């Protein structure tokens, strides 16, 4: 729900899988090296997108994680496996759309304060 993710994806929120750096390899078509464009959104965060279609591909979140949008994965069964389903929301206090799914909603970052439903009205930002 962070404003940067929304702006760069063109969506009200982004659902991503987080991995440790080095656990993800991005390949282009036909297993060629992927051609990516990079945007640095803060000193510790960079985001890369496909140089051809501009789809968001990966975000490097400091030295601890890389984020890959779930929409890039192809699932054999056609739907997201249970263990890959979202577990919480981040930056919920800056959302533009309420989501009533029963998942924990952090005001900002993971393990920070939980949103308690007291933030300003959605859409007035």
């Amino acid at each position: 729900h962070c404003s940067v993710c929304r702006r760069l994806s063109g969506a009200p929120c982004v659902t991503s899988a987080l991995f440790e750096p080095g656990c993800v390899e991005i390949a282009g078509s036909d297993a060629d090296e992927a051609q990516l464009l990079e945007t640095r959104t803060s000193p510790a965060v960079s985001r890369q997108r496909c140089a051809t279609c501009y789809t968001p591909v990966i975000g490097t979140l400091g030295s601890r994680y890389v984020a890959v949008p779930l929409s890039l994965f192809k699932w054999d069964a056609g739907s997201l496996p249970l263990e890959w389903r979202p577990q919480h929301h981040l930056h919920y206090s800056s959302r533009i759309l309420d989501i009533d799914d029963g998942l924990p909603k952090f005001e900002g970052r993971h393990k920070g304060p939980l949103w308690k439903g007291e933030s300003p009205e959605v859409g007035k930002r």
Side-chain angles (χ1 to χ4, degrees):
H1 298 281
C2 100
S3 61
V4 175
C5 292
R6 288 195 322 262
R7 188 175 69 248
L8 293 176
S9 70
C13 61
V14 177
T15 307
S16 297
L18 297 180
F19 300 94
E20 292 180 5
C23 292
V24 176
E25 181 179 333
I26 305 297
S29 59
D30 301 323
D32 291 337
E33 184 176 334
Q35 300 300 308
L36 302 173
L37 302 172
E38 182 173 290
T39 301
R40 186 157 297 278
T41 55
S42 74
V45 178
S46 67
R47 298 156 196 269
Q48 295 179 312
R49 55 181 61 237
C50 174
T52 303
C53 68
Y54 304 108
T55 297
V57 174
I58 192 166
T60 302
L61 312 175
S63 61
R64 295 186 58 197
Y65 297 108
V66 294
V68 180
L70 288 181
S71 61
L72 296 183
F73 293 90
K74 183 178 179 181
W75 310 103
D76 290 334
S79 65
L80 196 62
L82 283 175
E83 59 271 12
W84 283 73
R85 294 200 177 158
Q87 298 175 11
H88 54 260
H89 294 269
L90 302 177
H91 303 283
Y92 198 73
S93 63
S94 65
R95 75 200 179 287
I96 60 168
L97 177 70
D98 284 325
I99 299 177
D100 186 15
D101 59 8
L103 293 176
K105 294 165 175 65
F106 293 95
E107 288 181 9
R109 295 180 178 177
H110 185 247
K111 297 185 181 177
L114 286 170
W115 177 76
K116 295 181 178 32
E118 301 168 359
S119 51
E121 203 175 318
V122 172
K124 301 263 182 176
R125 299 175 203 274

